[in-house]
Amino acid sequence: MTPVELSRTVLRAVRRAVDDGELDVVVPGRVKVMPPGAGGCGDYATNVALQLARPAGQPALDVAEILRRRLAHSDGIRDVVVTGPGFLNISLRGNRDALVREILRLGERYGHADRSTGRLVHLHAPHEVRAVVVMDAVARLLRSQGTLVRTHCAARPEAGWTDLLGAEVHTYGTPGTPRTPGAPRTPDAPAPLDVDVRPVPADTDPLPLGRDAARWALLHPAPHDRPRITADHLVQRESNPLFRVRYAHARTRALTRNAADLRFHAEPGEPGEPGNVIPRGAEPAVRESAVPESAAPESVVHDTTTLLWNALADHPRILHAAAAHHAPDRLARHLVTVADAALPFLAGVLPRGAEKPSAAHRARLALAEAAGAVLAGGLSLLGIDAPEHL
């Protein structure tokens, strides 16, 4: 069930409640569903009960319970839980299986467009290292969403920017009207879009950090923030976000090798819970939520499987938004979210002691490999290596 289909299912539940006289409201034109925020659970959440409470003249929790009973018996829905002041948290049947299978099928291209849009974008950057690297990452993101891209720098880029940092610049100097090879203009083709890429410049040469750390230092901060070009990006410890992302990927690859030694392989299914829970407040923010902190009880905990699944499910949306807003920092922060959700989960993937590999272990390995594919694909779009060993 897609988010659009789920939204329609929620609307039908509202409509039936109105028809049966349980709710006296005007049925809304649409209902927004999204990954659960802090304090939530399941695959998707909606605040429709809070929206309908005032016009219905009932407490939001009562409205949520009316809708919960109806949704719980809908096709494709496994469970519905009410949290906070009246948020409906919905778990879908077979949805996690389907997601993992899709990621494993697409690999690093998960979240990419499957066809060209025919749109051409000309990216322009000043002669400055951060601008050129950000332009290169924006070009990669746009191409992942089916956009044709040409890049231009105000002057000839320094050799280190292209050779060491891997930034691709098609033209430099006086702007021309370059055309993407193999994509001739047609009468009905949209006019090229010119985009200036001008992040806050780096005040220190990033080249001594090497390609991966330098690109991360330039891309992870928002464009309006000045990047920190320090050796902290090279430190292999938990405080370094780049290390956590690359280490999480390396761990997924190690788990695949270890599973082969134990003679079992990945197979999507029900992974169960490896036994790790994350107390409220320690969980990664999969997505900003309108849920106020005070709305979620302090006793709420998140299982690591749900946190990881939600982060992976959000990946296509993040790629689309990062490309649309020319903001590779969004992807960088999302990869940190995926890594922080993955690392606690990965600890429980393999059998322990005399335990024999089971269907749950194969399903956990499949979810781990899906996380590895998302991390590798995201790092590739940032122009950063995803190591097999670390």
Side-chain angles (χ1 to χ4, degrees):
M1 182 182 294
T2 66
V4 172
E5 292 169 337
L6 178 58
S7 176
R8 292 170 182 162
T9 299
V10 176
L11 272 179
R12 285 195 294 270
V14 174
R15 191 172 292 112
R16 290 199 305 271
V18 171
D19 292 343
D20 292 347
E22 289 190 277
L23 293 177
D24 183 13
V25 296
V26 175
V27 179
R30 61 187 294 268
V31 169
K32 181 181 292 187
V33 297
M34 62 191 70
C41 59
D43 301 323
Y44 293 98
T46 176
N47 64 350
V48 64
L50 281 79
Q51 295 174 352
L52 297 178
R54 183 184 293 274
Q58 299 187 46
L61 285 172
D62 291 351
V63 176
E65 180 57 27
I66 291 171
L67 298 178
R68 186 200 68 78
R69 291 196 302 268
R70 295 177 178 277
L71 286 170
H73 300 291
S74 300
D75 291 341
I77 292 181
R78 177 166 53 88
D79 191 26
V80 183
V81 176
V82 178
T83 60
F87 293 93
L88 290 162
N89 297 261
I90 303 168
S91 299
L92 304 180
R93 296 185 186 276
N95 203 46
R96 298 187 179 191
D97 268 19
L99 175 75
V100 173
R101 291 183 189 279
E102 179 186 13
I103 296 175
L104 295 181
R105 178 178 65 84
L106 296 174
E108 295 184 19
R109 290 189 56 80
Y110 167 63
H112 290 215
D114 57 4
R115 63 179 61 89
S116 172
T117 63
R119 182 186 181 207
L120 175 60
V121 173
H122 291 161
L123 299 176
H124 303 273
H127 187 258
E128 189 274 324
V129 61
R130 188 186 187 198
V132 170
V133 170
V134 170
M135 177 176 68
D136 176 72
V138 170
R140 293 167 186 255
L141 285 164
L142 287 170
R143 292 189 188 105
S144 79
Q145 302 304 300
T147 301
L148 304 170
V149 184
R150 297 290 288 177
T151 57
H152 175 86
C153 183
R156 182 170 185 166
E158 304 300 320
W161 303 355
T162 55
D163 298 344
L164 178 62
L165 300 185
E168 183 180 39
V169 177
H170 295 120
T171 60
Y172 59 87
T174 303
T177 55
R179 186 173 298 166
T180 300
R185 288 289 305 281
T186 59
D188 57 346
L193 176 66
D194 286 291
V195 175
D196 287 326
V197 179
R198 292 182 176 275
V200 172
D203 55 9
T204 305
D205 182 10
L207 292 179
L209 295 180
R211 172 169 172 153
D212 293 333
R215 287 186 70 103
W216 182 268
L218 297 172
L219 296 173
H220 182 253
H224 56 267
D225 291 332
R226 191 171 299 279
R228 292 186 310 104
I229 311 299
T230 70
D232 290 346
H233 298 292
L234 299 171
V235 174
Q236 294 195 11
R237 62 171 63 119
E238 190 178 346
S239 60
N240 179 3
L242 174 60
F243 170 72
R244 297 204 304 276
V245 171
R246 300 176 82 224
Y247 177 69
H249 174 265
R251 286 282 295 124
T252 66
R253 303 305 301 144
L255 287 172
T256 299
R257 295 190 296 270
N258 294 339
D261 292 340
L262 295 174
R263 301 185 184 281
F264 78 96
H265 60 275
E267 179 60 39
E270 177 51 55
E273 179 55 35
N276 299 307
V277 293
I278 300 179
R280 195 182 107 72
E283 71 273 23
V286 173
R287 184 170 180 175
E288 289 184 8
S289 170
V291 186
E293 281 295 316
S294 59
E298 290 299 319
S299 60
V300 170
V301 296
H302 291 281
D303 67 80
T304 58
T305 303
T306 297
L307 284 173
L308 179 54
W309 187 89
N310 286 342
L312 300 182
D314 212 24
H315 187 64
R317 182 189 70 84
I318 294 293
L319 286 188
H320 179 79
H325 295 280
H326 312 134
D329 59 292
R330 295 192 180 197
L331 173 57
R333 290 194 298 273
H334 175 64
L335 294 182
V336 176
T337 294
V338 173
D340 288 347
L343 285 168
F345 173 83
L346 298 179
V349 168
L350 296 178
R352 296 180 179 179
E355 193 177 12
K356 300 294 185 183
S358 65
H361 292 110
R362 291 191 289 273
R364 291 173 201 166
L365 180 61
L367 184 54
E369 291 185 355
V374 167
L375 292 170
L379 286 171
S380 176
L381 289 174
L382 296 178
I384 296 173
D385 178 54
E388 293 280 317
H389 306 268
L390 192 61

